[in-house]
Amino acid sequence: MQLAVFIQESEQILADWDAYSDQHTGLDGRPHDENAYGLRAGLRDAATWRAFNRTRRSAKGLVAAAEVQLHKLPASRIQSRWAWQLGALDAALGQLARLQWAWLAVQDSLLASAVPGTEAYDEALAERSAEAWHYLNEWSLHGQALLDIHAAALDHQPRTPAPPSHSPTAPLSSAKATGPRR
């Protein structure tokens, strides 16, 4: 599932960022080189967006499916945080959609010469990714709830008994087979 891949990738991106940040900031938390730190943060933001982009189109459906599954689960199978996490994921998804629409509008307003690799394009894209990072992090933090709800729903599905087997115990009686046909 693409969501599981996103969660794993985003955790790695965050771990890499934390390692970088620890090495490139002072005890007061301020970066040694603000420009380099900002560029590295931009790489983190862009990588997280790319990782989520494979899930983004199906994300609304994943949340909706989890909400339906959650309502069908018995209370004893529900984690109290799941409803809150679904709300956080849905809200984050709304913000990501808003940011994507704003990015598309900015992209449309750029000069034709503003293509990937140009300052105007790259700065606008970096701004979108930076604004999106918090909401992407919400998905990284709470996306596992969707997988957990789905697993709980699969575990709770009623087990249907196997259909009766129709193993031939004896051939049709010869009386029926040789009887008169109508």
Side-chain angles (χ1 to χ4, degrees), residues 14-172:
L14 185 57
D16 292 346
W17 167 254
D18 288 343
Y20 175 88
S21 183
D22 288 347
Q23 292 176 353
H24 294 88
T25 57
L27 294 176
D28 60 356
R30 297 185 67 194
H32 301 302
D33 179 343
E34 290 195 28
N35 287 336
Y37 194 82
L39 290 172
R40 182 61 178 80
L43 293 174
R44 174 203 64 192
D45 301 343
T48 307
W49 181 275
R50 278 191 307 277
F52 185 70
N53 212 30
R54 292 185 303 269
T55 303
R56 189 170 54 90
R57 287 174 182 72
S58 62
K60 190 77 167 166
L62 292 172
V63 172
E67 287 173 342
V68 169
Q69 290 172 325
L70 189 59
H71 289 300
K72 292 181 179 181
L73 287 172
S76 63
R77 299 282 305 171
I78 296 173
Q79 297 289 322
S80 60
R81 69 182 184 278
W82 285 348
W84 176 86
Q85 287 175 305
L86 291 179
L89 291 170
D90 192 48
L93 195 57
Q95 292 301 318
L96 290 168
R98 179 188 61 77
L99 290 168
Q100 181 63 7
W101 280 107
W103 158 243
L104 293 174
V106 166
Q107 195 176 14
D108 286 344
S109 72
L110 293 173
L111 298 174
S113 61
V115 294
T118 62
E119 187 176 340
Y121 184 94
D122 290 351
E123 283 183 4
L125 182 59
E127 185 177 325
R128 186 279 321 261
S129 296
E131 290 181 34
W133 192 84
H134 168 75
Y135 306 111
L136 296 169
N137 194 46
E138 288 286 293
W139 270 81
S140 178
L141 293 172
H142 304 301
Q144 185 64 43
L146 298 173
L147 302 174
D148 294 345
I149 292 167
H150 182 68
L154 289 177
D155 286 347
H156 181 67
Q157 284 181 346
R159 308 280 187 234
T160 55
S165 66
H166 294 290
S167 60
T169 53
L172 291 176

